[in-house]
Amino acid sequence: MRLRRVPGILLCAALTAAAGCGGDDSGGGGERGELTVSAAASLTEAFESYAEGTPGEERFSFAGSDELAAQIRQGAAPDVYAAANTELPEMLAEEGLVEQPRVFTTNSLVLAVPKDSEIESIDDLTVPGIDLVIGAEDVPFGSYTLTVLDRLPAADGEAILDNVRSEESDVKAAVGKLSQGAADASFTYVSDVAAASDRLEAIELPAELQPDVAYGVAVVKDAQSPEAARAFVDGLLSGAGTQALEDAGFKPRSGG
Amino acid sequence: MSGSRRFGALLVAALGAVLVFLIVPVVGVFVNVSPAELLSSLGEEGALDALRLSLETTAIALAIILVVGTPAAYLLATRSFRGRSLAVTLVELPLVLPPAVAGIALLAAVGPSGLLGGVVEGAGVELVFETAGVVVALTFVASPFYIRQAQAAFAAVDPTLLEASRTLGASEAETFARVAIPTARAGLYSGTALAWGRALGEFGATLVFAGSFQGTTQTAPLAIVERFGTDFTGALALSAVLVALSAALLLSVKLLSGSAAFGSGASA
């Protein structure tokens, strides 16, 4: 018994030593020419295809925009922050954590359902027993969903909220639940349905219910590679990034 | 003997590094949140709901694991049969599965459109988006932690003890209940603590399989991650409670199993 413990301790020492060495020489993340980008989960496909055409290497962290903002507040400094709304980047700019944010694309919220679904419109969501998943209220696709439900007659909004079975932390988690047949419907972006078009279909929302979905991007103040970060953002505003976004189902920024 | 002294110093340094590395993040949870803040953010309805749900679901999962896992571990430890090592490997598989994979696997197995989805539905059981689904996810990821320990503990029971019990006229079941279990007690306790700790911290499988909804499926770890985005203090407060709970769990099991928790090098 006692003899068997020694190798364990040695192993720990070795691991700790290895971790220590790693910590010493890394100047704090980003290697040469490597850009870290924290981006809303809904940007996954568009950004990955944009990255294929850029000269540098990008490292993406896709998650709920609110979670990524919280990481930046806690001191994590990616080079670029791209959110599925404009409020979060603006708040970070006011807090002095990111440079002036820019709107780079827009999207629309749709009712996403599995291909074989019998749901045809938002009215069908009021039927008791529908399994609806929505975004948690802090993540943009969740707050857009609440905006839509708020614009409905109060009784309908309540009935739909009663059918909510899960609050997801990012839009791709909702898409996963739909694709697996675990949920009957969700409100996602039209681009997310396009990315999962083999399993899902999008039901457009009536124009009067459609929220304004604009995406903001900013270079992070403590960026390791601010030059590359600016080039990445410029490409989104007018360049290969714009095309990649359009191909993924996003819409051009309005008035741009 | 400077060589051996140097080696001794190396061991002490290694242990020191391990302790610092493991303890500092835990300390960080507590120094960042004042007791007043902790209490007020725990007063929120959502936080208490999450803690209550965590305690309930882990307790049920643990009961299932103990009742089914203990005899299963006994069989694995005391009999040799064809396919035994395969069974042992299969039992350990969830240990090395990433939790999100466990969640997807559960969806693919017992989700509405999964392998056994029809059977589950036919039985009138709903798992996805239900508290029962959380229990399933917890049981799936935590049971190997108990079964492995229990199996080792039963294997360490002196076979002559079991033999003597049978010779004295006790049935197999009596021998299991009155000799094997009490003798393997310490190992069973520590397996229980490990499984409980794992279940208490479960995140990925629950989120993927059962979803996250306050009061139904949102356990404390899920509530922590949800708060992380907007309410860092609240997230810290809930984290602090989980740390305290886990520590209390570990400590009580150490005391129960009779091995000295800290100090006294004479460990069993």
Side-chain angles (χ1 to χ4, degrees), chain A residues 1-2 5 9-10 12-13 16 66-67 70-71 74 131 133 136 138 164-168 177 180-183, chain B residues 7 11 14 17-18 107-108 112-113 126 128-130 207-208 211-213 225-226 228-230 232 265 267-268:
Chain A
M1 211 65 198
R2 191 165 289 190
R5 295 206 168 165
I9 289 175
L10 285 179
C12 290
T16 316
D66 60 323
E67 204 173 299
Q71 284 170 358
Q74 291 305 317
D131 288 337
V133 296
D138 302 320
V164 172
R165 306 300 302 278
S166 184
E167 296 180 350
E168 303 296 331
K177 292 244 163 45
Q180 276 298 322
Chain B
F7 183 63
L11 295 186
V18 168
L107 266 183
S113 48
E126 278 195 65
V128 176
F129 304 135
E130 297 291 345
L207 190 63
V208 171
S212 171
F213 195 74
V225 174
E226 196 197 79
F228 173 67
T230 43
F232 196 69
S267 68

Side-chain angles (χ1 to χ4, degrees), chain B residues 99-129:
Chain B
V101 173
I104 287 173
L106 284 171
L107 266 183
V110 293
S113 48
L115 209 56
L116 303 173
V119 180
V120 173
E121 219 161 290
V125 179
E126 278 195 65
L127 296 176
V128 176
F129 304 135

Side-chain angles (χ1 to χ4, degrees), chain A residues 93-230:
Chain A
E94 273 168 32
E95 291 164 31
L97 295 168
V98 303
E99 294 175 4
Q100 182 60 41
R102 316 271 300 269
V103 174
F104 68 99
T105 192
T106 63
N107 210 338
S108 36
L109 203 70
V110 294
L111 179 57
V113 294
K115 270 234 149 112
D116 53 358
S117 176
E118 285 169 11
I119 295 170
E120 284 173 353
S121 78
I122 191 168
D123 298 329
D124 295 338
L125 297 183
T126 56
V127 180
I130 297 275
D131 288 337
L132 181 66
V133 296
I134 63 172
E137 71 173 299
D138 302 320
V139 63
F141 90 104
S143 73
Y144 293 132
T145 301
L146 294 181
T147 305
V148 170
L149 298 183
D150 254 358
R151 290 177 183 172
L152 289 171
D156 288 355
E158 300 258 316
I160 293 175
L161 279 177
D162 280 347
N163 284 333
V164 172
R165 306 300 302 278
S166 184
E167 296 180 350
E168 303 296 331
S169 58
D170 71 61
V171 69
K172 294 302 180 194
V175 169
K177 292 244 163 45
L178 285 178
S179 305
Q180 276 298 322
D184 297 325
S186 181
F187 291 92
T188 72
Y189 304 113
V190 67
S191 55
D192 298 304
V193 179
S197 59
D198 52 331
R199 314 193 73 161
L200 304 187
E201 61 185 28
I203 299 168
E204 273 184 43
L205 300 180
E208 68 272 18
L209 297 181
Q210 183 60 242
D212 289 329
V213 180
Y215 284 61
V217 63
V219 174
V220 176
K221 278 268 169 71
D222 290 337
Q224 300 280 316
S225 344
E227 285 313 309
R230 277 182 204 110

Side-chain angles (χ1 to χ4, degrees), chain B residues 57-58 60-66 68-69 89-110 116 127 131-148 194-196 198-200 202-206 208-210:
Chain B
T57 52
T58 54
I60 299 170
L62 210 65
I64 297 171
I65 292 171
L66 290 180
V68 184
T89 309
L90 288 177
V91 164
E92 291 179 354
L93 191 60
L95 276 181
V96 293
L97 280 187
V101 173
I104 287 173
L106 284 171
L107 266 183
V110 293
L116 303 173
L127 296 176
T131 307
V134 179
V135 173
V136 169
L138 301 186
T139 308
F140 184 79
V141 298
S143 53
F145 285 81
Y146 174 75
I147 295 175
R148 251 168 64 111
L194 282 176
W196 201 335
R198 176 67 186 85
L200 210 51
E202 214 300 308
F203 173 75
T206 310
V208 171
F209 179 59

Side-chain angles (χ1 to χ4, degrees), chain A residues 35-44 46-47 50 59-69 71-72 78-90 92 98-105 139-140 144 189 214-220 229 232-233 236-237 245 250:
Chain A
L35 194 69
T36 42
V37 178
S38 286
S42 50
L43 292 165
T44 307
F47 274 20
Y50 171 35
R59 266 184 20 199
F60 292 114
S61 169
F62 295 111
S65 305
D66 60 323
E67 204 173 299
L68 297 169
Q71 284 170 358
I72 293 172
D79 296 300
V80 176
Y81 172 62
N85 66 15
T86 52
E87 289 85 354
L88 282 166
E90 269 158 22
L92 289 183
V98 303
E99 294 175 4
Q100 182 60 41
R102 316 271 300 269
V103 174
F104 68 99
T105 192
V139 63
Y144 293 132
Y189 304 113
Y215 284 61
V217 63
V219 174
V220 176
F232 184 88
V233 171
L236 286 174
L237 292 166
L245 285 160
F250 287 79

